[in-house]
Amino acid sequence: MKPSPEILQPTDPLPPKPVVQLTASLQLPNGLTMEVPITIDSGSNADFIGLDFLQEHNIALLPATLPLKVVTVDGRELLGGQVVQQTPPMVMQIGNHREVISFNVTQLSDTPIVLGMSWLHRHSPALAWYQRQLTFGSSYCAEHCILPSPEGERMTRSYN
Ligand SMILES: [Zn+2]
């Protein structure tokens, strides 16, 4: 579903940020697991990882299986150009929600990872915008992502 353009045009001088920021635990291809800030941005068409982050952690890149053009609705310089590389599949965990994900590689200026509409479509998390709280309640997630751990939390709180 494409949001209509008028909803995306801020009329208020201080609109709420159209993104939610969380912390995920990411297992790098070398086996190291680290906490990484992620940005969930419905204005991004796909899932991206920043080149700087990859170089910093020596993550090897693969040619993209499906080169795609980066599109943003609001014309920010955050994302740009043609994506020609992707990461190997990595395990990413948010709360008790775990998935194997391969990111498209691009230049990101202020966040190492962006999850966009493709991710939102797949997992369909419920988002309480005011509390900036994410709940993974879809049947897809129940089947594929949610860890059956007793101490796992269903909700994940944003850090900002
Ligand atoms: Zn899921």
Side-chain angles (χ1 to χ4, degrees), residues 54-105:
L54 294 173
Q55 283 164 353
E56 191 181 324
H57 298 285
N58 283 315
I59 299 170
L61 301 179
L62 308 170
T65 47
L66 190 72
L68 79 154
K69 195 125 189 128
V70 180
V71 178
T72 53
V73 284
D74 57 4
R76 271 168 309 163
E77 306 258 316
L78 176 74
L79 308 168
Q82 182 98 18
V83 173
V84 292
Q85 287 176 308
Q86 66 184 42
T87 67
M90 292 190 267
V91 177
M92 182 176 72
Q93 191 168 335
I94 305 169
N96 70 333
H97 180 275
R98 188 166 69 180
E99 69 188 289
V100 176
I101 185 167
S102 165
F103 296 96
N104 301 290
V105 177

Side-chain angles (χ1 to χ4, degrees), residues 97-99 119 122-124 136 138 140-142 144-146:
H97 180 275
R98 188 166 69 180
E99 69 188 289
W119 185 86
R122 193 176 322 126
H123 301 281
S124 232
F136 294 97
S138 72
Y140 175 88
C141 289
H144 296 97
C145 317
I146 302 299

Side-chain angles (χ1 to χ4, degrees), residues 147-153:
L147 297 171
S149 83
E151 74 276 8
E153 292 170 74

